[in-house]
Amino acid sequence: MLRRTLVRMLPRRLKDRVKAFITKLVPPERSDSFELSLSRLAPDLETVFDVGANVGDMTMSMCERFPDATVYAFEPCSTTFDTLRARVEASPYRDRVRLHKLGFYDTNGTALLHVTSHHGANSLVDISPSYHVFNPHVREEDSEDVRLVRLDDFVGEAGISHIDLMKVDVEGAEYEVFAGGVRTLSSMVDTVFCEVSFARHPRERGESLRVCQVLHDCGFPPAAVDDVAQARRHDQGQLAHFDGVLRTPPRLGRPDAAMANDPP
């Protein structure tokens, strides 16, 4: 929030020029909406996935919020993963975090990751014109081949039988993550936090609809929409992204996984 507030105080003609400078000065902020959503969940979760863990802000919050949980953190970028690992190893939660240097996708293999000037914007998707409108300070600086696996395959090989919460923030590859985990999502996951972007792909492609459809087909109706980001310019479309919370109805044989603060 601090970066956003500072930028809004500037004259419009100066905003693009100083965004990159402010990004370097101010540490990456946590996702306020995901933080709020975490606070609404019961604290007795046991298995949590942080897909697109980045430098570990949400990983740390998950460990703090869910003291009995094992948190699986997935990050494919080498430099970002090194920061994540160092942070986890220096934390009191290191025995509860399982680090994996990989990304989820709908096929197993490798792919080119675009490494940008801001680690939170690294993506398997190239910077599109619409994304540049919303994020003129982000530029590609490097690339690397990263390992990708299907969520269903990882869960099967790891012997995981249930996931209380899965947070997904993968900068444009959301559909592929979910498409590679249909079996897992349909039978093992209670709650999904997901950032849905309207700028990573051409709007006419309807990528946000594909993401919502695959989750709907797996039994995840939306429970909340937060952090709706919009641009002042309208030539590429105004809506940038939102953070969604999706929850399955209680599964047979399992206690109700409703959010702790939901009204009766």
Side-chain angles (χ1 to χ4, degrees), residues 128-148:
S128 67
S130 58
Y131 185 83
H132 182 71
V133 167
F134 292 113
N135 304 276
H137 57 291
V138 175
R139 63 188 183 279
E140 183 171 345
E141 293 188 335
D142 200 356
S143 63
E144 68 169 298
D145 288 326
V146 296
R147 180 188 173 204
L148 301 175

Side-chain angles (χ1 to χ4, degrees), residues 31-32 127 152 217 251:
S31 171
D32 294 336
I127 295 177
D152 283 343
D217 292 344
R251 302 196 188 281

Side-chain angles (χ1 to χ4, degrees), residues 51-52 76 103-107 111-114 121-126 146 148-149 151 166 168-181 194-201 205 207-208 210-211 214:
V51 181
F104 288 127
Y105 211 65
D106 57 355
T107 57
L112 189 69
L113 181 74
H114 301 276
N122 298 338
S123 177
L124 294 170
V125 181
D126 200 359
V146 296
L148 301 175
V149 302
L151 174 62
M166 184 167 71
V168 178
D169 186 353
V170 291
E171 297 296 322
E174 294 81 14
Y175 175 80
E176 288 78 9
V177 170
F178 296 132
C194 179
E195 180 184 87
V196 178
S197 172
F198 293 84
R200 280 292 186 181
H201 301 276
R205 174 172 163 175
E207 189 70 10
S208 60
R210 295 209 307 157
V211 171
V214 68

Side-chain angles (χ1 to χ4, degrees), residues 26-81:
V26 182
E29 62 196 57
R30 292 182 174 186
S31 171
D32 294 336
S33 64
F34 283 161
E35 289 284 338
L36 178 61
S37 297
L38 284 181
S39 72
R40 291 173 175 167
L41 289 172
D44 59 348
L45 274 58
E46 297 179 354
T47 303
V48 177
F49 274 29
D50 187 358
V51 181
N54 204 281
V55 297
D57 288 346
M58 283 297 293
T59 299
M60 295 294 104
S61 295
M62 290 166 167
C63 289
E64 180 180 359
R65 173 64 185 170
F66 312 121
D68 297 323
T70 298
V71 178
Y72 293 79
F74 305 89
E75 172 56 48
C77 179
S78 296
T79 55
T80 308
F81 182 83

